[in-house]
Amino acid sequence: MGSDGLDRGVAARAPPRPRRAALPRRRDRRRDRSRRARRRDRRGARPAGRRAAVRHARVPAARRAAPGHGAEVDRLDDAGWDRLARNAERAVALVRTAGLEPTFHHHAGTFVESPDEIDRFLGRVDIDLTLDTGHLALGGGDPVDAVRRWGDRINHLHLKDVDLGRLRSVVAAGGGMREVWSSGVFVAFGQGDLDVSPVMAAMAERDFDGWIVVEQDVLNGPETAIDAFLRERTADQQTNRDALRAWL
């Protein structure tokens, strides 16, 4: 995206020779450690485990490696839920202060992926929901039931279709989210196991007037020719558009 202009600019003239002043200076690690120690003395000691907790919340590696089974491998404890809700409420307040209305996207491979986890999150945080049909299926949920369950809280919609058989094969082989994306689990509408028609009908009954995003999370594999990949995805999007013509 936007690389054409950059490429032309580079081709038009030779790049300037690097100046010595632009080179990074070697860090004095002893001086760095001394500065950090002085800052700790001024602020007071940091509670043990704080760094690990922050990293754990940001990078749930075990969850990403077990999409749909996160609670089995890495269940968030009560303290973690308290921290998540508290930080989410802070983010909500900042967004609303800026004059915008936030929305929360549940996502496979995170701490909020299953219907029970979504219920718990919505019960703790004053925010509406981005319903993602594909990620909900990965988390063990049913999109039509989700509309009945959280319809009054849905203010954004991500539509996906999912090949559940392929998903089960990926998970059984130990694949994580990257393998889900690169194995073609998310397919064009009508080629998987999720029927978007009852989801759209249920949202229409609620006079939904928010954004609808058609998503097909796909990564091209290392042996896939990019031209063929683009042709296939273009055809998929035409299929998706045709499937939604009754509502859009």
Side-chain angles (χ1 to χ4, degrees):
M1 296 290 185
S3 62
D4 290 344
L6 177 61
D7 292 341
R8 284 196 295 270
V10 171
R13 61 183 183 276
R17 296 177 61 186
R19 295 178 298 173
R20 183 177 298 275
L23 299 176
R25 285 185 287 181
R26 185 176 181 180
R27 295 182 61 178
D28 187 332
R29 297 186 182 278
R30 288 177 298 180
R31 183 165 55 188
D32 288 346
R33 287 195 293 269
S34 177
R35 287 174 177 170
R36 287 196 295 270
R38 288 197 297 271
R39 285 197 296 267
R40 284 196 298 270
D41 288 342
R42 289 194 298 267
R43 293 194 306 249
R46 181 169 53 192
R50 178 179 173 186
R51 182 184 295 273
V54 170
R55 284 179 177 172
H56 183 66
R58 289 179 181 171
V59 188
R63 286 252 172 175
R64 290 200 312 273
H69 300 276
E72 300 171 15
V73 299
D74 193 7
R75 180 178 295 276
L76 196 61
D77 59 18
D78 289 342
W81 275 104
D82 290 343
R83 185 168 57 252
L84 173 60
R86 185 168 59 250
N87 288 336
E89 286 286 8
R90 290 175 59 194
V92 167
L94 290 171
V95 171
R96 288 184 176 144
T97 298
L100 302 172
E101 185 57 29
T103 186
F104 176 78
H105 187 323
H106 60 96
H107 201 290
T110 72
F111 287 113
V112 186
E113 65 172 2
S114 71
D116 288 345
E117 289 167 338
I118 297 170
D119 266 337
R120 186 167 183 177
F121 182 86
L122 292 178
R124 296 286 302 272
V125 182
D126 178 23
I127 190 173
D128 285 341
L129 181 70
T130 292
L131 175 63
D132 188 305
T133 59
H135 284 283
L136 185 70
L138 266 66
D142 175 78
V144 177
D145 179 65
V147 176
R148 291 193 294 263
R149 192 168 182 171
W150 306 307
D152 293 339
R153 302 283 295 273
I154 298 172
N155 65 352
H156 197 72
L157 184 61
H158 286 187
L159 290 178
K160 292 184 179 71
D161 197 353
V162 181
D163 185 329
L164 294 178
R166 190 172 298 175
L167 170 63
R168 286 190 287 269
S169 296
V170 170
V171 174
M177 283 308 301
R178 177 168 291 276
E179 287 71 32
V180 168
W181 291 321
S182 61
S183 297
V185 167
F186 295 118
V187 295
F189 294 155
Q191 298 177 11
D193 297 285
L194 299 187
D195 186 356
V196 300
S197 296
V199 177
M200 291 295 295
M203 295 302 294
E205 288 178 2
R206 294 179 172 273
D207 296 323
F208 178 74
D209 63 352
W211 281 94
I212 297 175
V213 178
V214 177
E215 288 191 323
Q216 189 177 345
D217 297 348
V218 183
L219 291 177
N220 57 303
E223 299 179 356
T224 303
I226 191 64
D227 291 344
F229 179 80
L230 292 176
R231 284 195 300 271
E232 292 169 0
R233 301 293 76 76
T234 300
D236 285 345
Q237 293 311 314
Q238 185 59 58
T239 298
N240 294 336
R241 289 171 65 91
D242 292 342
L244 296 176
R245 288 193 187 280
W247 295 277
L248 303 175

mmCIF file of all heavy atoms in Angstrom, residues 109-157:
data_model
loop_
_atom_site.group_PDB
_atom_site.id
_atom_site.type_symbol
_atom_site.label_atom_id
_atom_site.label_comp_id
_atom_site.label_asym_id
_atom_site.label_seq_id
_atom_site.Cartn_x
_atom_site.Cartn_y
_atom_site.Cartn_z
ATOM 1 N N GLY A 109 -8.111 -17.137 20.671
ATOM 2 C CA GLY A 109 -6.708 -17.012 21.039
ATOM 3 C C GLY A 109 -6.452 -15.920 22.043
ATOM 4 O O GLY A 109 -5.296 -15.577 22.302
ATOM 5 N N THR A 110 -7.528 -15.340 22.633
ATOM 6 C CA THR A 110 -7.363 -14.335 23.677
ATOM 7 C C THR A 110 -8.116 -14.801 24.922
ATOM 8 O O THR A 110 -8.688 -15.889 24.949
ATOM 9 C CB THR A 110 -7.911 -12.970 23.236
ATOM 10 O OG1 THR A 110 -9.353 -13.015 23.209
ATOM 11 C CG2 THR A 110 -7.384 -12.593 21.855
ATOM 12 N N PHE A 111 -8.147 -13.950 25.942
ATOM 13 C CA PHE A 111 -8.814 -14.320 27.180
ATOM 14 C C PHE A 111 -10.331 -14.143 27.109
ATOM 15 O O PHE A 111 -11.034 -14.466 28.077
ATOM 16 C CB PHE A 111 -8.262 -13.504 28.350
ATOM 17 C CG PHE A 111 -6.890 -13.927 28.767
ATOM 18 C CD1 PHE A 111 -5.797 -13.097 28.591
ATOM 19 C CD2 PHE A 111 -6.681 -15.185 29.324
ATOM 20 C CE1 PHE A 111 -4.531 -13.503 28.983
ATOM 21 C CE2 PHE A 111 -5.419 -15.589 29.711
ATOM 22 C CZ PHE A 111 -4.339 -14.750 29.532
ATOM 23 N N VAL A 112 -10.828 -13.614 26.019
ATOM 24 C CA VAL A 112 -12.277 -13.485 25.847
ATOM 25 C C VAL A 112 -12.632 -14.092 24.495
ATOM 26 O O VAL A 112 -12.679 -13.399 23.474
ATOM 27 C CB VAL A 112 -12.742 -12.022 25.939
ATOM 28 C CG1 VAL A 112 -14.266 -11.950 25.907
ATOM 29 C CG2 VAL A 112 -12.220 -11.361 27.210
ATOM 30 N N GLU A 113 -12.854 -15.395 24.470
ATOM 31 C CA GLU A 113 -13.161 -16.068 23.209
ATOM 32 C C GLU A 113 -14.418 -16.933 23.279
ATOM 33 O O GLU A 113 -15.121 -17.082 22.289
ATOM 34 C CB GLU A 113 -11.985 -16.936 22.750
ATOM 35 C CG GLU A 113 -11.665 -18.109 23.658
ATOM 36 C CD GLU A 113 -10.617 -19.062 23.069
ATOM 37 O OE1 GLU A 113 -10.116 -18.791 21.967
ATOM 38 O OE2 GLU A 113 -10.308 -20.062 23.737
ATOM 39 N N SER A 114 -14.739 -17.502 24.426
ATOM 40 C CA SER A 114 -15.890 -18.394 24.541
ATOM 41 C C SER A 114 -17.129 -17.584 24.928
ATOM 42 O O SER A 114 -17.024 -16.469 25.451
ATOM 43 C CB SER A 114 -15.628 -19.467 25.595
ATOM 44 O OG SER A 114 -15.642 -18.892 26.891
ATOM 45 N N PRO A 115 -18.332 -18.131 24.705
ATOM 46 C CA PRO A 115 -19.547 -17.424 25.136
ATOM 47 C C PRO A 115 -19.551 -17.080 26.620
ATOM 48 O O PRO A 115 -19.979 -15.984 27.001
ATOM 49 C CB PRO A 115 -20.662 -18.418 24.776
ATOM 50 C CG PRO A 115 -20.120 -19.174 23.605
ATOM 51 C CD PRO A 115 -18.655 -19.340 23.897
ATOM 52 N N ASP A 116 -19.094 -17.991 27.470
ATOM 53 C CA ASP A 116 -19.066 -17.702 28.905
ATOM 54 C C ASP A 116 -18.120 -16.541 29.212
ATOM 55 O O ASP A 116 -18.420 -15.689 30.065
ATOM 56 C CB ASP A 116 -18.644 -18.938 29.687
ATOM 57 C CG ASP A 116 -19.733 -20.001 29.718
ATOM 58 O OD1 ASP A 116 -20.895 -19.681 29.387
ATOM 59 O OD2 ASP A 116 -19.415 -21.159 30.064
ATOM 60 N N GLU A 117 -16.985 -16.507 28.533
ATOM 61 C CA GLU A 117 -16.029 -15.413 28.762
ATOM 62 C C GLU A 117 -16.594 -14.092 28.243
ATOM 63 O O GLU A 117 -16.393 -13.041 28.867
ATOM 64 C CB GLU A 117 -14.697 -15.748 28.099
ATOM 65 C CG GLU A 117 -13.946 -16.862 28.817
ATOM 66 C CD GLU A 117 -12.784 -17.418 28.019
ATOM 67 O OE1 GLU A 117 -12.771 -17.268 26.769
ATOM 68 O OE2 GLU A 117 -11.880 -18.020 28.631
ATOM 69 N N ILE A 118 -17.292 -14.134 27.114
ATOM 70 C CA ILE A 118 -17.922 -12.913 26.606
ATOM 71 C C ILE A 118 -18.986 -12.437 27.585
ATOM 72 O O ILE A 118 -19.087 -11.235 27.882
ATOM 73 C CB ILE A 118 -18.530 -13.163 25.207
ATOM 74 C CG1 ILE A 118 -17.434 -13.527 24.208
ATOM 75 C CG2 ILE A 118 -19.295 -11.926 24.730
ATOM 76 C CD1 ILE A 118 -17.966 -14.023 22.874
ATOM 77 N N ASP A 119 -19.795 -13.358 28.104
ATOM 78 C CA ASP A 119 -20.794 -12.998 29.111
ATOM 79 C C ASP A 119 -20.145 -12.310 30.304
ATOM 80 O O ASP A 119 -20.636 -11.276 30.787
ATOM 81 C CB ASP A 119 -21.515 -14.263 29.599
ATOM 82 C CG ASP A 119 -22.803 -14.542 28.845
ATOM 83 O OD1 ASP A 119 -23.381 -13.600 28.267
ATOM 84 O OD2 ASP A 119 -23.230 -15.712 28.822
ATOM 85 N N ARG A 120 -19.069 -12.892 30.779
ATOM 86 C CA ARG A 120 -18.421 -12.346 31.975
ATOM 87 C C ARG A 120 -17.855 -10.964 31.685
ATOM 88 O O ARG A 120 -17.986 -10.047 32.513
ATOM 89 C CB ARG A 120 -17.315 -13.287 32.443
ATOM 90 C CG ARG A 120 -16.692 -12.862 33.769
ATOM 91 C CD ARG A 120 -15.834 -13.959 34.350
ATOM 92 N NE ARG A 120 -15.296 -13.579 35.653
ATOM 93 C CZ ARG A 120 -14.558 -14.367 36.427
ATOM 94 N NH1 ARG A 120 -14.277 -15.601 36.025
ATOM 95 N NH2 ARG A 120 -14.105 -13.942 37.602
ATOM 96 N N PHE A 121 -17.261 -10.790 30.507
ATOM 97 C CA PHE A 121 -16.692 -9.491 30.172
ATOM 98 C C PHE A 121 -17.789 -8.430 30.062
ATOM 99 O O PHE A 121 -17.672 -7.332 30.631
ATOM 100 C CB PHE A 121 -15.924 -9.582 28.855
ATOM 101 C CG PHE A 121 -15.255 -8.294 28.454
ATOM 102 C CD1 PHE A 121 -13.993 -7.981 28.933
ATOM 103 C CD2 PHE A 121 -15.896 -7.390 27.623
ATOM 104 C CE1 PHE A 121 -13.374 -6.784 28.582
ATOM 105 C CE2 PHE A 121 -15.292 -6.197 27.270
ATOM 106 C CZ PHE A 121 -14.025 -5.903 27.749
ATOM 107 N N LEU A 122 -18.870 -8.741 29.351
ATOM 108 C CA LEU A 122 -19.946 -7.764 29.188
ATOM 109 C C LEU A 122 -20.625 -7.455 30.513
ATOM 110 O O LEU A 122 -21.174 -6.362 30.689
ATOM 111 C CB LEU A 122 -20.965 -8.280 28.173
ATOM 112 C CG LEU A 122 -20.485 -8.383 26.726
ATOM 113 C CD1 LEU A 122 -21.593 -8.957 25.843
ATOM 114 C CD2 LEU A 122 -20.024 -7.032 26.190
ATOM 115 N N GLY A 123 -20.602 -8.407 31.431
ATOM 116 C CA GLY A 123 -21.162 -8.158 32.750
ATOM 117 C C GLY A 123 -20.306 -7.253 33.609
ATOM 118 O O GLY A 123 -20.792 -6.704 34.603
ATOM 119 N N ARG A 124 -19.043 -7.100 33.240
ATOM 120 C CA ARG A 124 -18.115 -6.295 34.041
ATOM 121 C C ARG A 124 -17.828 -4.919 33.432
ATOM 122 O O ARG A 124 -17.400 -4.012 34.162
ATOM 123 C CB ARG A 124 -16.779 -7.049 34.186
ATOM 124 C CG ARG A 124 -16.841 -8.364 34.941
ATOM 125 C CD ARG A 124 -16.999 -8.133 36.434
ATOM 126 N NE ARG A 124 -15.935 -7.335 36.984
ATOM 127 C CZ ARG A 124 -14.770 -7.824 37.443
ATOM 128 N NH1 ARG A 124 -14.536 -9.126 37.395
ATOM 129 N NH2 ARG A 124 -13.867 -7.012 37.955
ATOM 130 N N VAL A 125 -17.999 -4.778 32.123
ATOM 131 C CA VAL A 125 -17.548 -3.564 31.443
ATOM 132 C C VAL A 125 -18.706 -2.923 30.686
ATOM 133 O O VAL A 125 -19.469 -3.612 29.988
ATOM 134 C CB VAL A 125 -16.399 -3.886 30.451
ATOM 135 C CG1 VAL A 125 -15.894 -2.611 29.791
ATOM 136 C CG2 VAL A 125 -15.259 -4.591 31.180
ATOM 137 N N ASP A 126 -18.837 -1.623 30.820
ATOM 138 C CA ASP A 126 -19.891 -0.868 30.139
ATOM 139 C C ASP A 126 -19.461 -0.573 28.708
ATOM 140 O O ASP A 126 -18.984 0.526 28.392
ATOM 141 C CB ASP A 126 -20.175 0.431 30.893
ATOM 142 C CG ASP A 126 -21.242 1.279 30.206
ATOM 143 O OD1 ASP A 126 -22.052 0.715 29.447
ATOM 144 O OD2 ASP A 126 -21.253 2.511 30.432
ATOM 145 N N ILE A 127 -19.605 -1.551 27.843
ATOM 146 C CA ILE A 127 -19.215 -1.415 26.447
ATOM 147 C C ILE A 127 -20.053 -2.378 25.623
ATOM 148 O O ILE A 127 -20.479 -3.434 26.116
ATOM 149 C CB ILE A 127 -17.707 -1.716 26.259
ATOM 150 C CG1 ILE A 127 -17.233 -1.339 24.855
ATOM 151 C CG2 ILE A 127 -17.400 -3.169 26.578
ATOM 152 C CD1 ILE A 127 -15.721 -1.452 24.673
ATOM 153 N N ASP A 128 -20.321 -1.999 24.375
ATOM 154 C CA ASP A 128 -21.055 -2.888 23.486
ATOM 155 C C ASP A 128 -20.100 -3.804 22.735
ATOM 156 O O ASP A 128 -18.882 -3.694 22.859
ATOM 157 C CB ASP A 128 -21.916 -2.075 22.525
ATOM 158 C CG ASP A 128 -23.156 -1.507 23.216
ATOM 159 O OD1 ASP A 128 -23.536 -2.026 24.288
ATOM 160 O OD2 ASP A 128 -23.744 -0.533 22.700
ATOM 161 N N LEU A 129 -20.671 -4.688 21.926
ATOM 162 C CA LEU A 129 -19.924 -5.823 21.391
ATOM 163 C C LEU A 129 -19.804 -5.767 19.875
ATOM 164 O O LEU A 129 -20.767 -5.455 19.169
ATOM 165 C CB LEU A 129 -20.638 -7.124 21.782
ATOM 166 C CG LEU A 129 -20.003 -8.448 21.349
ATOM 167 C CD1 LEU A 129 -18.713 -8.696 22.125
ATOM 168 C CD2 LEU A 129 -20.993 -9.594 21.555
ATOM 169 N N THR A 130 -18.609 -6.098 19.384
ATOM 170 C CA THR A 130 -18.424 -6.450 17.980
ATOM 171 C C THR A 130 -18.604 -7.965 17.883
ATOM 172 O O THR A 130 -17.751 -8.722 18.334
ATOM 173 C CB THR A 130 -17.020 -6.062 17.475
ATOM 174 O OG1 THR A 130 -16.908 -4.645 17.429
ATOM 175 C CG2 THR A 130 -16.778 -6.620 16.082
ATOM 176 N N LEU A 131 -19.719 -8.385 17.312
ATOM 177 C CA LEU A 131 -19.948 -9.817 17.160
ATOM 178 C C LEU A 131 -19.216 -10.305 15.921
ATOM 179 O O LEU A 131 -19.469 -9.841 14.812
ATOM 180 C CB LEU A 131 -21.445 -10.119 17.024
ATOM 181 C CG LEU A 131 -21.787 -11.586 16.730
ATOM 182 C CD1 LEU A 131 -21.342 -12.484 17.896
ATOM 183 C CD2 LEU A 131 -23.271 -11.751 16.459
ATOM 184 N N ASP A 132 -18.315 -11.249 16.110
ATOM 185 C CA ASP A 132 -17.564 -11.850 15.015
ATOM 186 C C ASP A 132 -18.013 -13.308 14.899
ATOM 187 O O ASP A 132 -17.722 -14.129 15.770
ATOM 188 C CB ASP A 132 -16.063 -11.768 15.295
ATOM 189 C CG ASP A 132 -15.216 -12.193 14.109
ATOM 190 O OD1 ASP A 132 -15.435 -13.326 13.616
ATOM 191 O OD2 ASP A 132 -14.344 -11.422 13.684
ATOM 192 N N THR A 133 -18.733 -13.613 13.810
ATOM 193 C CA THR A 133 -19.312 -14.950 13.686
ATOM 194 C C THR A 133 -18.249 -16.034 13.614
ATOM 195 O O THR A 133 -18.427 -17.122 14.164
ATOM 196 C CB THR A 133 -20.216 -15.023 12.442
ATOM 197 O OG1 THR A 133 -19.443 -14.721 11.267
ATOM 198 C CG2 THR A 133 -21.367 -14.039 12.553
ATOM 199 N N GLY A 134 -17.134 -15.748 12.952
ATOM 200 C CA GLY A 134 -16.082 -16.747 12.814
ATOM 201 C C GLY A 134 -15.356 -17.016 14.111
ATOM 202 O O GLY A 134 -15.159 -18.178 14.499
ATOM 203 N N HIS A 135 -14.958 -15.968 14.795
ATOM 204 C CA HIS A 135 -14.240 -16.159 16.053
ATOM 205 C C HIS A 135 -15.154 -16.735 17.123
ATOM 206 O O HIS A 135 -14.690 -17.464 18.013
ATOM 207 C CB HIS A 135 -13.615 -14.843 16.504
ATOM 208 C CG HIS A 135 -12.386 -14.489 15.739
ATOM 209 N ND1 HIS A 135 -11.171 -15.094 15.965
ATOM 210 C CD2 HIS A 135 -12.187 -13.616 14.710
ATOM 211 C CE1 HIS A 135 -10.264 -14.600 15.133
ATOM 212 N NE2 HIS A 135 -10.870 -13.715 14.360
ATOM 213 N N LEU A 136 -16.449 -16.422 17.041
ATOM 214 C CA LEU A 136 -17.371 -17.028 17.986
ATOM 215 C C LEU A 136 -17.450 -18.535 17.760
ATOM 216 O O LEU A 136 -17.480 -19.318 18.716
ATOM 217 C CB LEU A 136 -18.766 -16.410 17.839
ATOM 218 C CG LEU A 136 -19.780 -16.893 18.874
ATOM 219 C CD1 LEU A 136 -19.433 -16.357 20.258
ATOM 220 C CD2 LEU A 136 -21.192 -16.472 18.480
ATOM 221 N N ALA A 137 -17.475 -18.946 16.492
ATOM 222 C CA ALA A 137 -17.498 -20.378 16.190
ATOM 223 C C ALA A 137 -16.236 -21.062 16.698
ATOM 224 O O ALA A 137 -16.293 -22.174 17.238
ATOM 225 C CB ALA A 137 -17.652 -20.594 14.691
ATOM 226 N N LEU A 138 -15.077 -20.409 16.536
ATOM 227 C CA LEU A 138 -13.841 -20.971 17.066
ATOM 228 C C LEU A 138 -13.912 -21.121 18.579
ATOM 229 O O LEU A 138 -13.354 -22.059 19.155
ATOM 230 C CB LEU A 138 -12.640 -20.097 16.693
ATOM 231 C CG LEU A 138 -11.880 -20.494 15.423
ATOM 232 C CD1 LEU A 138 -12.749 -20.304 14.195
ATOM 233 C CD2 LEU A 138 -10.601 -19.666 15.292
ATOM 234 N N GLY A 139 -14.610 -20.189 19.234
ATOM 235 C CA GLY A 139 -14.730 -20.232 20.687
ATOM 236 C C GLY A 139 -15.838 -21.129 21.186
ATOM 237 O O GLY A 139 -16.102 -21.174 22.397
ATOM 238 N N GLY A 140 -16.515 -21.836 20.273
ATOM 239 C CA GLY A 140 -17.545 -22.779 20.689
ATOM 240 C C GLY A 140 -18.941 -22.204 20.743
ATOM 241 O O GLY A 140 -19.847 -22.832 21.311
ATOM 242 N N GLY A 141 -19.163 -21.031 20.140
ATOM 243 C CA GLY A 141 -20.475 -20.403 20.196
ATOM 244 C C GLY A 141 -21.247 -20.525 18.896
ATOM 245 O O GLY A 141 -20.705 -20.919 17.862
ATOM 246 N N ASP A 142 -22.515 -20.155 18.963
ATOM 247 C CA ASP A 142 -23.406 -20.170 17.807
ATOM 248 C C ASP A 142 -23.829 -18.729 17.515
ATOM 249 O O ASP A 142 -24.380 -18.056 18.397
ATOM 250 C CB ASP A 142 -24.631 -21.025 18.095
ATOM 251 C CG ASP A 142 -25.638 -20.965 16.959
ATOM 252 O OD1 ASP A 142 -25.408 -21.646 15.936
ATOM 253 O OD2 ASP A 142 -26.630 -20.219 17.065
ATOM 254 N N PRO A 143 -23.590 -18.234 16.287
ATOM 255 C CA PRO A 143 -23.877 -16.827 15.989
ATOM 256 C C PRO A 143 -25.341 -16.428 16.151
ATOM 257 O O PRO A 143 -25.636 -15.322 16.616
ATOM 258 C CB PRO A 143 -23.415 -16.676 14.538
ATOM 259 C CG PRO A 143 -22.391 -17.741 14.346
ATOM 260 C CD PRO A 143 -22.875 -18.892 15.178
ATOM 261 N N VAL A 144 -26.273 -17.305 15.764
ATOM 262 C CA VAL A 144 -27.688 -16.960 15.898
ATOM 263 C C VAL A 144 -28.062 -16.862 17.376
ATOM 264 O O VAL A 144 -28.778 -15.941 17.799
ATOM 265 C CB VAL A 144 -28.566 -17.989 15.171
ATOM 266 C CG1 VAL A 144 -30.047 -17.661 15.367
ATOM 267 C CG2 VAL A 144 -28.232 -18.025 13.683
ATOM 268 N N ASP A 145 -27.581 -17.801 18.178
ATOM 269 C CA ASP A 145 -27.811 -17.724 19.617
ATOM 270 C C ASP A 145 -27.173 -16.469 20.195
ATOM 271 O O ASP A 145 -27.717 -15.864 21.129
ATOM 272 C CB ASP A 145 -27.239 -18.970 20.302
ATOM 273 C CG ASP A 145 -27.425 -18.931 21.804
ATOM 274 O OD1 ASP A 145 -28.574 -18.954 22.272
ATOM 275 O OD2 ASP A 145 -26.397 -18.854 22.529
ATOM 276 N N ALA A 146 -26.033 -16.065 19.631
ATOM 277 C CA ALA A 146 -25.356 -14.863 20.126
ATOM 278 C C ALA A 146 -26.218 -13.623 19.917
ATOM 279 O O ALA A 146 -26.248 -12.729 20.772
ATOM 280 C CB ALA A 146 -24.017 -14.695 19.412
ATOM 281 N N VAL A 147 -26.919 -13.551 18.782
ATOM 282 C CA VAL A 147 -27.789 -12.400 18.537
ATOM 283 C C VAL A 147 -28.912 -12.377 19.568
ATOM 284 O O VAL A 147 -29.276 -11.310 20.089
ATOM 285 C CB VAL A 147 -28.355 -12.439 17.102
ATOM 286 C CG1 VAL A 147 -29.344 -11.292 16.888
ATOM 287 C CG2 VAL A 147 -27.219 -12.350 16.080
ATOM 288 N N ARG A 148 -29.481 -13.532 19.870
ATOM 289 C CA ARG A 148 -30.517 -13.578 20.908
ATOM 290 C C ARG A 148 -29.943 -13.222 22.281
ATOM 291 O O ARG A 148 -30.613 -12.574 23.094
ATOM 292 C CB ARG A 148 -31.136 -14.982 20.959
ATOM 293 C CG ARG A 148 -31.977 -15.351 19.739
ATOM 294 C CD ARG A 148 -32.810 -16.595 20.005
ATOM 295 N NE ARG A 148 -31.954 -17.764 20.172
ATOM 296 C CZ ARG A 148 -31.688 -18.626 19.201
ATOM 297 N NH1 ARG A 148 -32.195 -18.427 17.995
ATOM 298 N NH2 ARG A 148 -30.918 -19.668 19.423
ATOM 299 N N ARG A 149 -28.724 -13.631 22.507
ATOM 300 C CA ARG A 149 -28.111 -13.495 23.833
ATOM 301 C C ARG A 149 -27.612 -12.073 24.092
ATOM 302 O O ARG A 149 -27.799 -11.538 25.189
ATOM 303 C CB ARG A 149 -26.953 -14.487 23.900
ATOM 304 C CG ARG A 149 -26.343 -14.745 25.253
ATOM 305 C CD ARG A 149 -25.432 -15.961 25.124
ATOM 306 N NE ARG A 149 -24.788 -16.373 26.338
ATOM 307 C CZ ARG A 149 -24.105 -17.506 26.458
ATOM 308 N NH1 ARG A 149 -24.001 -18.331 25.430
ATOM 309 N NH2 ARG A 149 -23.534 -17.835 27.600
ATOM 310 N N TRP A 150 -26.972 -11.479 23.082
ATOM 311 C CA TRP A 150 -26.345 -10.165 23.284
ATOM 312 C C TRP A 150 -26.856 -9.103 22.304
ATOM 313 O O TRP A 150 -26.223 -8.064 22.135
ATOM 314 C CB TRP A 150 -24.823 -10.287 23.102
ATOM 315 C CG TRP A 150 -24.180 -11.328 23.953
ATOM 316 C CD1 TRP A 150 -24.282 -11.468 25.307
ATOM 317 C CD2 TRP A 150 -23.340 -12.409 23.518
ATOM 318 N NE1 TRP A 150 -23.556 -12.554 25.735
ATOM 319 C CE2 TRP A 150 -22.958 -13.147 24.661
ATOM 320 C CE3 TRP A 150 -22.845 -12.804 22.268
ATOM 321 C CZ2 TRP A 150 -22.132 -14.268 24.592
ATOM 322 C CZ3 TRP A 150 -22.031 -13.921 22.194
ATOM 323 C CH2 TRP A 150 -21.685 -14.638 23.349
ATOM 324 N N GLY A 151 -27.982 -9.376 21.651
ATOM 325 C CA GLY A 151 -28.438 -8.485 20.587
ATOM 326 C C GLY A 151 -28.482 -7.023 20.963
ATOM 327 O O GLY A 151 -28.127 -6.148 20.150
ATOM 328 N N ASP A 152 -28.912 -6.710 22.179
ATOM 329 C CA ASP A 152 -29.002 -5.311 22.603
ATOM 330 C C ASP A 152 -27.634 -4.670 22.804
ATOM 331 O O ASP A 152 -27.539 -3.441 22.909
ATOM 332 C CB ASP A 152 -29.794 -5.208 23.914
ATOM 333 C CG ASP A 152 -31.252 -5.582 23.730
ATOM 334 O OD1 ASP A 152 -31.734 -5.532 22.572
ATOM 335 O OD2 ASP A 152 -31.914 -5.941 24.736
ATOM 336 N N ARG A 153 -26.585 -5.486 22.843
ATOM 337 C CA ARG A 153 -25.231 -4.957 23.064
ATOM 338 C C ARG A 153 -24.386 -4.970 21.785
ATOM 339 O O ARG A 153 -23.234 -4.525 21.819
ATOM 340 C CB ARG A 153 -24.511 -5.791 24.142
ATOM 341 C CG ARG A 153 -25.199 -5.852 25.487
ATOM 342 C CD ARG A 153 -25.009 -4.590 26.286
ATOM 343 N NE ARG A 153 -23.647 -4.351 26.676
ATOM 344 C CZ ARG A 153 -23.072 -4.828 27.785
ATOM 345 N NH1 ARG A 153 -23.760 -5.625 28.583
ATOM 346 N NH2 ARG A 153 -21.830 -4.508 28.094
ATOM 347 N N ILE A 154 -24.914 -5.490 20.691
ATOM 348 C CA ILE A 154 -24.131 -5.590 19.454
ATOM 349 C C ILE A 154 -24.225 -4.269 18.690
ATOM 350 O O ILE A 154 -25.301 -3.872 18.260
ATOM 351 C CB ILE A 154 -24.635 -6.750 18.564
ATOM 352 C CG1 ILE A 154 -24.464 -8.090 19.288
ATOM 353 C CG2 ILE A 154 -23.872 -6.766 17.241
ATOM 354 C CD1 ILE A 154 -25.120 -9.263 18.571
ATOM 355 N N ASN A 155 -23.088 -3.599 18.529
ATOM 356 C CA ASN A 155 -23.079 -2.345 17.767
ATOM 357 C C ASN A 155 -22.145 -2.400 16.555
ATOM 358 O O ASN A 155 -21.940 -1.394 15.878
ATOM 359 C CB ASN A 155 -22.711 -1.162 18.666
ATOM 360 C CG ASN A 155 -21.296 -1.240 19.215
ATOM 361 O OD1 ASN A 155 -20.601 -2.251 19.047
ATOM 362 N ND2 ASN A 155 -20.860 -0.187 19.897
ATOM 363 N N HIS A 156 -21.596 -3.588 16.285
ATOM 364 C CA HIS A 156 -20.692 -3.758 15.145
ATOM 365 C C HIS A 156 -20.706 -5.246 14.808
ATOM 366 O O HIS A 156 -20.830 -6.081 15.706
ATOM 367 C CB HIS A 156 -19.280 -3.314 15.534
ATOM 368 C CG HIS A 156 -18.374 -3.050 14.386
ATOM 369 N ND1 HIS A 156 -18.493 -1.954 13.568
ATOM 370 C CD2 HIS A 156 -17.304 -3.734 13.911
ATOM 371 C CE1 HIS A 156 -17.542 -1.974 12.645
ATOM 372 N NE2 HIS A 156 -16.812 -3.054 12.834
ATOM 373 N N LEU A 157 -20.604 -5.566 13.524
ATOM 374 C CA LEU A 157 -20.747 -6.961 13.119
ATOM 375 C C LEU A 157 -19.650 -7.341 12.142
ATOM 376 O O LEU A 157 -19.425 -6.653 11.140
ATOM 377 C CB LEU A 157 -22.122 -7.166 12.459
ATOM 378 C CG LEU A 157 -22.527 -8.580 12.049
ATOM 379 C CD1 LEU A 157 -22.584 -9.499 13.266
ATOM 380 C CD2 LEU A 157 -23.882 -8.553 11.347
#
